[in-house]
Amino acid sequence: MKISKEKLEIAMVRKGMNVKDLSKKSGVSTNPIYRLMNGKGVTSKTMFLVCDALGCDITEILED
């Protein structure tokens, strides 16, 4: 499974966040967030920090 860009963007819109806002709230720099959005490799810690900032579970942003 990999991260769905569309699902991640939907979660960000629901929270009214852009990449910069998500970066500030999660404590993750913008580069790993862009990598995550583009299906590139990031650490599991990054994924969990982003999900925590968005108030969602990792399964909500994964593709089937």
Side-chain angles (χ1 to χ4, degrees):
M1 288 190 180
K2 69 177 193 171
I3 299 295
S4 167
K5 180 177 181 177
E6 292 80 23
K7 290 180 180 181
L8 179 56
E9 288 175 346
I10 289 168
M12 290 170 64
V13 168
R14 276 191 300 212
K15 289 292 186 173
M17 292 184 176
N18 59 29
V19 172
K20 189 175 179 180
D21 297 331
L22 182 55
S23 174
K24 285 181 182 179
K25 187 166 183 178
S26 66
V28 175
S29 68
T30 57
N31 188 42
I33 293 172
Y34 282 119
R35 289 182 57 81
L36 185 64
M37 292 177 77
N38 290 307
K40 307 288 184 187
V42 295
T43 65
S44 57
K45 181 179 178 180
T46 297
M47 289 189 285
F48 286 111
L49 288 170
V50 166
C51 286
D52 188 49
L54 291 171
C56 70
D57 188 82
I58 189 79
T59 59
E60 294 177 50
I61 61 171
L62 291 176
E63 288 183 342
D64 292 330

